[in-house]
Amino acid sequence: MTTLSSQAFSVETRTRASSVFAVVAGLIVLLALAAPLLVSRGAIQDLFFILTMLVLAQCWNLLAGYAGLISVGQQLFVGCGAYAMFAVVTLAGLDPFVAILAAGVFAGLVAVPTAFFTFRLYGPYFAIGTWVIAEVGRLLFAQWKALGGGTGTSLPREAVRDMAGIDFLKTTFGMKSAQAGDALTYWLALILAVASIGVFYRLLRSKQGLGLAAVRDNEQAARAVGVDARRMKALVYLVAAIITGMAGALIYVQKQRISPDAAFSLLDWTAYVIFIVVIGGIGTIEGPIIGVIVFFLLQNLLADYGSWYLLILGTIAIATMLFAPKGLWGLFSARTGIQLFPVRRILRVQARDISNSQDIKGGPHG
């Protein structure tokens, strides 16, 4: 009887903290689904703002934190998605919620020629190029007279009043039309936020995620080992554009009024988003979640300070980049080792025994 020692190898990404968090996150999502029935309309509007900004922040973080594409023109896809939704509702008469899907498709179509030009640029030139193209988009939509031109327009009252699900909520829960509309847009924002985090996390844990990390760290080295860097960047850029466009459409379903300056606002849809990611922690899924909560609290605390508000936000961002370059979550994770959305591969080695039995019968002559 011979006993040999062997080793079995397995690759894991899940940690004990992430397993516990998965259960907690599930309970939080269930509680969030019931929020319109439990809290005031004002609280629902605040939660809607947090969720939509979280979606925008996750999209920008996917570009900058994982693909190394520092874009300052994400307002292009917010505006294109919002205007596509308005066009489909106003000119084609479709339901606003159906129009959100069309908005995502349109934003994706806009991303194709945009990528053709911007991907020829690198570093700060890429960032400037995305901003210039976003400004071109703002000027073009300002010429669309059917949707109000430079002054903008509002959604038709009947389109808002007759959105799918409004009558059901009014009949079942006794909600008023405005309250029911806020509840519907909130639930869609919750679905979009959960879905975007799930899609991005799945992408980062896949083989494509490994390739994406290699491209971010050293594009030339990644190409040397067979990673198609341009294809990986194009995929990420397209996915981020589609989800950003859907988020933009959803935001303006809730606002019900649009103008080029508002829909293509650099401050609202890119500068604030960059602040959220920088404060929370770039290159992590947890970072934008922490960042959007901090941003919301600061916005409410500093809202009465006028122009000082932006100055204080800028000072906080600079201090964070100097003393905690990986953001609040990066600082916390470095000290505790906790990761709620782990993407690193951990090689586990498990020893095992292999028994090899051999019976020898007879002598030399068998």
Side-chain angles (χ1 to χ4, degrees), residues 69 115-122 212 215 219 222-223 227-237:
L69 298 172
F116 177 80
F117 291 106
T118 57
F119 279 21
R120 297 172 181 270
L121 306 173
Y122 294 92
L212 191 61
V215 170
E219 185 172 334
R223 288 177 175 174
V227 177
D228 191 339
R230 182 173 291 273
R231 181 174 177 272
M232 290 301 305
K233 288 183 176 182
L235 173 64
V236 168
Y237 192 76

Side-chain angles (χ1 to χ4, degrees), residues 262-274:
F264 291 88
S265 171
L266 172 64
L267 179 63
D268 291 339
W269 312 127
T270 297
Y272 286 156
V273 165
I274 294 175

